[in-house]
Amino acid sequence: MSATEKVLNAARIAWRSEPRIGPKAPHVAMELDAGTLTLEGEMPDIAAKKLALELAAGVSGVTGIVDRLHVASAERMADGEIRDHLRHALEQEPAFAELALSEIVKGAENVLREPAERRRGWIRLAVAEGVVTLDGEVPGLEFKRLAGVLAWWVPGSRDVINGLGVEPEEPDNDAEITDAVRMALEKDPFVNAGQVIVGTVDAVVTLAGLVPSESEREMAEWDAWYVFGVDRVHNKIEVAPFTPDGAAS
């Protein structure tokens, strides 16, 4: 077995050892060139994609990753429909009220909003084959992360390339990630954020608390996975149906 084959085999073994990937082992093309591993294919969900990238990056002999992985969309949508959903979400989000917005349609830029007195920032969106690309400049990491979450929430999204720059630059840390996850939970109408506790250590998010249904538990976890910069999510939320007086049964 050649040195390249050993590296590729080690990556596949690492994937099979991860429960979120192994049982659904997808077909992904792998190519190694001078230490750079290119991954191309479809993963079952955002958790599998992020874990696949993390595990592959930890393989001895891999010095860089080219990410061409997408995820299976929750709902089949045309690019125009995805763009319409995301445009509406961005336009309706109060946090972006003072930012300029535009979209790319058939190669041409269409200005959606240019506030007379706007904060320093703008967001441009584009969609191609279910992959959302966000670029522009926003005034804080929380804006970048919120835009990314809104893009992932569109059921037809197969991937989100978040190229939004932050000006002025600000250091990222676990506290910023925790705040972003809390914000995503608060924005999600299907999750009672007040019932969920969030903690982050080294970009690994842990969720705890008590919710009334398994679906709400799962939605809280997906919200955390969708946040830019989150490497892993440990879901320790417990499920207990609430009684009419609001107490756990």
Side-chain angles (χ1 to χ4, degrees):
M1 184 181 293
S2 69
T4 294
E5 289 173 332
K6 288 180 180 178
V7 172
L8 298 181
N9 190 51
R12 293 189 179 97
I13 290 173
W15 283 10
R16 287 197 293 269
S17 68
E18 167 53 53
R20 299 297 292 262
I21 305 173
K24 315 168 189 176
H27 175 71
V28 171
M30 295 185 180
E31 182 177 329
L32 186 69
D33 182 15
T36 298
L37 181 63
T38 299
L39 303 173
E40 185 169 0
E42 184 174 273
M43 305 300 288
D45 52 51
I46 181 64
K49 171 184 162 81
K50 284 194 171 184
L51 291 170
L53 294 172
E54 179 189 25
L55 291 169
V59 171
S60 178
V62 174
T63 58
I65 297 281
V66 175
D67 173 20
R68 294 176 182 164
L69 296 175
H70 304 319
V71 305
S73 60
E75 180 180 328
R76 189 179 297 275
M77 285 185 175
D79 288 346
E81 190 177 2
I82 296 172
R83 190 173 58 246
D84 290 345
H85 277 267
L86 181 53
R87 178 181 64 240
H88 178 76
L90 294 173
E91 289 177 330
Q92 296 300 310
E93 172 51 51
F96 300 145
E98 298 178 34
L99 274 68
L101 299 175
S102 64
E103 61 182 356
I104 301 298
V105 182
K106 296 182 179 179
E109 183 168 9
N110 175 32
V111 176
L112 303 171
R113 184 173 68 207
E114 183 69 52
E117 296 183 8
R118 66 182 174 107
R119 300 176 66 169
R120 184 181 179 186
W122 54 281
I123 297 175
R124 178 169 56 210
L125 70 102
V127 184
E129 297 182 359
V131 177
V132 176
T133 299
L134 299 171
D135 67 349
E137 186 178 276
V138 291
L141 281 167
E142 69 272 23
F143 292 83
K144 177 185 177 85
R145 288 189 161 114
L146 177 56
V149 169
L150 293 178
W152 274 115
W153 276 351
V154 178
S157 295
R158 298 179 61 229
D159 200 4
V160 176
I161 300 173
N162 195 336
L164 291 170
V166 176
E167 182 61 39
E169 292 185 12
E170 59 181 84
D172 201 1
N173 53 53
D174 288 337
E176 289 281 350
I177 292 175
T178 295
D179 288 345
V181 173
R182 285 197 184 109
M183 179 170 58
L185 295 173
E186 290 167 358
K187 296 285 184 181
D188 190 336
F190 301 105
V191 174
N192 183 350
Q195 298 295 127
V196 181
I197 301 168
V198 183
T200 307
V201 177
D202 295 333
V204 177
V205 171
T206 298
L207 303 176
L210 192 67
V211 298
S213 67
E214 181 62 30
S215 62
E216 186 170 342
R217 180 181 186 274
E218 292 179 354
M219 284 186 282
E221 180 177 339
W222 290 125
D223 287 344
W225 279 113
Y226 291 147
V227 171
F228 177 84
V230 171
D231 289 338
R232 280 180 178 261
V233 179
H234 296 315
N235 191 346
K236 297 183 179 181
I237 299 173
E238 296 181 8
V239 176
F242 292 160
T243 60
D245 62 4
S249 61

